[in-house]
Amino acid sequence: MSTSMTGTAGRSDFGPVLWTPGDWNAFFGFGTNILVNMLVLTGLLRFVLKMPDTLVFGRILPALGLMMCLSTFYYAWLAYRLAQKTGRTDVCALPSGVSVPHMFIVTFVIMLPITIKTGDPLKGWSAGLVWVFFQSFILMIGGFIAPYIRKITPRAALLGTLAGVSVTFISMRPALEMYMTPQIGLVCFAIILLSWFGGVKYPRGIPAGLVAIAVGMIIAWGSNLFGLGLGGLSVKGVGDAFASFGFSVPIPAFGQVFSGFEFLGIILVTAVPFGIYDLVEAMDNVESAEAAGDEYPTTRVLTADGVVSLIGCLMGNPFINAVYIGHPGWKAMGGRIGYSAATGIMVVVLSWFGIISVLLALVPVVAISPILLYIGMLIGAQAFQTTPVKHAPAIVLALTPHLAAWAKLQIDTMLGSTLDAAQKVGALAPDKVAAVKSAAIASLPQQGVLYHGLEVMGGGSILAGLVLGAIGVFVIERDFVKASAFAFSGAVLTYFGFMHGEAVGIGGGLGVTPAVALAYAVVAAGFFAVGKYGTSSDSIAHPEMPLAAAAE
């Protein structure tokens, strides 16, 4: 800590700076991240759920903008208070916005099936509102138990499972998009790398994120002159996008929320486990911020997410708010307090004036993808950089369920697209779809693809990664009783389907995945026996592990 920082520590008259030059970098980086999420979300509502534009631009997006503005302003205020309390000038606000995993879950698992079943997009919207309604209360209640979970869980387990999310669901899609249009993606990625990792400053202090977006736009629009069409942009698309212009403010949607309770049985099956997912993910992200030097109160963070999500829900927004992965990344590029509040203002302008589609028509998404890849790289690296070297194997172990979950998602998507295409060309009768899908999955092991293993290991990946990572850490530290406790918690969570299962319940009475639950219980008993009776009283702590074991 610098002298200027320590000199102000603890002074009640210390006034933190609200905006720094680094906030420009973080604002363009985080702002474009939020923009991409909003563009994807808008596409899901309009083209997947077939919701009318009056509902999307007149009700849902204004409510979403209100929720995200409240969230970003709150976390800017929380950062201001932390800076004031500590006297530090390097405090960075927690990034927040609509939860990306849940954006897809509520769309494809809740709203789409109900929309198809009823033939009414408004029914699907109401069901989505109820889903967020229950998740909000799970977050608010969970906020009071989360600090205890953080206290007993090793940092390597918390950050390891977070790294798994960042490597798979955060980094892989942007990386693939970059290589699908490398003329834009790789050039913009190089611009980001030079500045944010290499320390290169661009003329007049222009933020690297803005430079990357500007260069991407120039390449995309310039390619149209040669008939290449890189980035998929067109003048016609821009003209069509202006049709969505207008001004809409959030309107209470109490009636729509409570009318969705008729689908309660379907909703609770996913609302409870994904509420727990939110709980763990938020704890991981708070731990990540603390590892980067900013200690925020877990209870306040989770409660705030629950409250702003509930407000958004009651105003018509079917997407939940969450603290984002990436705090260390925005802090490393100079973000402090102002970038969070500025993003909130940006979101209100975009959502209340209906200009999301215009931006989508102007900026190639592939120019923004490198920013998301950068964040994934930084979070993955943080898990190893802020934990003891000997815990590295436990971090790798925590990654594995996420790799399985990502691989299964790719297979499921491919199978679904193939079967859908076969039906459209008349090569497959609708009543044969289920049988063909089952036969295809059954044949995968013969090709070396262990689909069932991916399905079991990847179920509830964020909880599975946390439990496996904690077991690994405590075994390395020779604290076998604590390893036993986490193995037993794995048995309980698996029995009820919160991890290593596709649905919450008790199966046929023996658990959702009885073989895995039993295996965890046996492991727990074994660890406990070793901890209590199998080691001598003069056992020493595990020695530092070599970076690599010699090959045999």
Side-chain angles (χ1 to χ4, degrees), residues 20-402:
T20 68
D23 277 310
W24 284 111
N25 268 326
F27 170 66
F28 281 107
F30 181 54
T32 51
N33 184 0
I34 292 293
L35 174 60
V36 170
N37 293 341
M38 293 181 71
L39 294 175
V40 172
L41 179 150
T42 303
L44 291 174
L45 293 172
R46 298 178 71 193
F47 305 121
V48 175
L49 298 173
K50 310 295 183 184
M51 290 186 176
D53 284 354
T54 53
L55 176 60
V56 174
F57 294 104
R59 299 295 303 274
I60 295 177
L61 288 183
L64 176 79
L66 174 64
M67 178 191 77
M68 293 175 66
C69 183
L70 291 174
S71 174
T72 52
F73 268 67
Y74 176 76
Y75 288 121
W77 175 80
L78 210 58
Y80 182 90
R81 291 294 301 271
L82 179 61
Q84 193 174 48
K85 177 182 177 182
T86 60
R88 289 167 42 220
T89 59
D90 66 338
V91 173
C92 176
L94 289 168
S96 66
V98 61
S99 173
V100 177
H102 290 67
M103 182 168 72
F104 292 98
I105 294 297
V106 74
T107 297
F108 290 103
V109 178
I110 300 298
M111 292 195 286
L112 182 59
I114 290 175
T115 297
I116 294 173
K117 181 180 179 180
T118 62
D120 185 358
L122 295 180
K123 293 282 189 180
W125 175 43
S126 294
L129 296 178
V130 175
W131 195 76
V132 175
F133 183 83
F134 278 96
Q135 288 228 314
S136 301
F137 282 100
I138 292 172
L139 282 173
M140 286 187 275
I141 296 169
F144 294 95
I145 63 171
Y148 301 103
I149 299 175
R150 278 189 67 204
K151 188 176 180 179
I152 64 175
T153 306
R155 172 170 286 185
L158 289 166
L159 297 186
T161 195
L162 193 63
V165 175
S166 73
V167 169
T168 53
F169 294 98
I170 302 298
S171 299
M172 284 302 297
R173 184 179 179 88
L176 297 175
E177 288 173 342
M178 284 166 44
Y179 277 88
M180 289 170 64
T181 315
Q183 303 93 327
I184 299 175
L186 287 181
V187 171
C188 294
F189 187 50
I191 292 170
I192 296 297
L193 285 181
L194 283 172
S195 178
W196 291 346
F197 279 134
V200 174
K201 301 293 183 183
Y202 292 111
R204 300 182 181 276
I206 301 175
L210 182 58
V211 174
I213 291 172
V215 170
M217 290 178 67
I218 291 171
I219 296 174
W221 285 104
S223 71
N224 287 349
L225 299 176
F226 302 96
L228 299 177
L230 300 176
L233 305 181
S234 68
V235 175
K236 181 181 183 301
V238 175
D240 293 342
F242 275 96
S244 300
F245 254 23
F247 179 72
S248 302
V249 295
I251 302 172
F254 302 148
Q256 286 79 9
V257 172
F258 293 108
S259 68
F261 273 77
E262 63 179 293
F263 307 108
L264 194 59
I266 300 173
I267 292 166
L268 287 180
V269 171
T270 54
V272 174
F274 277 96
I276 295 173
Y277 171 98
D278 276 333
L279 195 67
V280 177
E281 184 179 40
M283 287 192 304
D284 289 344
N285 292 333
V286 171
E287 183 72 25
S288 176
E290 185 175 328
D294 297 334
E295 185 176 355
Y296 289 103
T298 310
T299 299
R300 282 193 179 186
V301 170
L302 285 165
T303 304
D305 277 348
V307 170
V308 298
S309 295
L310 182 61
I311 293 172
C313 160
L314 294 175
M315 301 301 286
N317 167 46
F319 302 101
I320 199 162
N321 189 76
V323 171
Y324 273 12
I325 292 175
H327 169 276
W330 308 126
K331 184 170 184 174
M333 67 177 69
R336 296 298 179 255
I337 298 172
Y339 89 96
S340 180
T343 303
I345 295 173
M346 177 200 78
V347 168
V348 166
V349 172
L350 293 176
S351 58
W352 290 16
F353 286 88
I355 58 177
I356 292 291
S357 58
V358 176
L359 289 176
L360 180 60
L362 288 172
V363 180
V365 174
V366 69
I368 303 172
S369 297
I371 297 173
L372 302 182
L373 178 57
Y374 163 80
I375 294 301
M377 293 164 62
L378 212 65
I379 296 304
Q382 185 196 42
F384 293 95
Q385 293 169 343
T386 62
T387 55
V389 173
K390 64 181 179 180
H391 290 172
I395 294 172
V396 175
L397 183 60
L399 294 175
T400 54
H402 300 282

Side-chain angles (χ1 to χ4, degrees), residues 390-418:
K390 64 181 179 180
H391 290 172
I395 294 172
V396 175
L397 183 60
L399 294 175
T400 54
H402 300 282
L403 297 174
W406 186 82
K408 178 182 178 295
L409 178 63
Q410 306 311 303
I411 295 172
D412 287 344
T413 304
M414 181 275 296
L415 281 175
S417 298
T418 302

Side-chain angles (χ1 to χ4, degrees), residues 442-465:
S443 68
L444 288 177
Q446 301 169 20
Q447 311 303 319
V449 179
L450 304 180
Y451 181 86
H452 182 61
L454 297 174
E455 183 178 43
V456 174
M457 189 173 194
S461 57
I462 196 162
L463 285 173

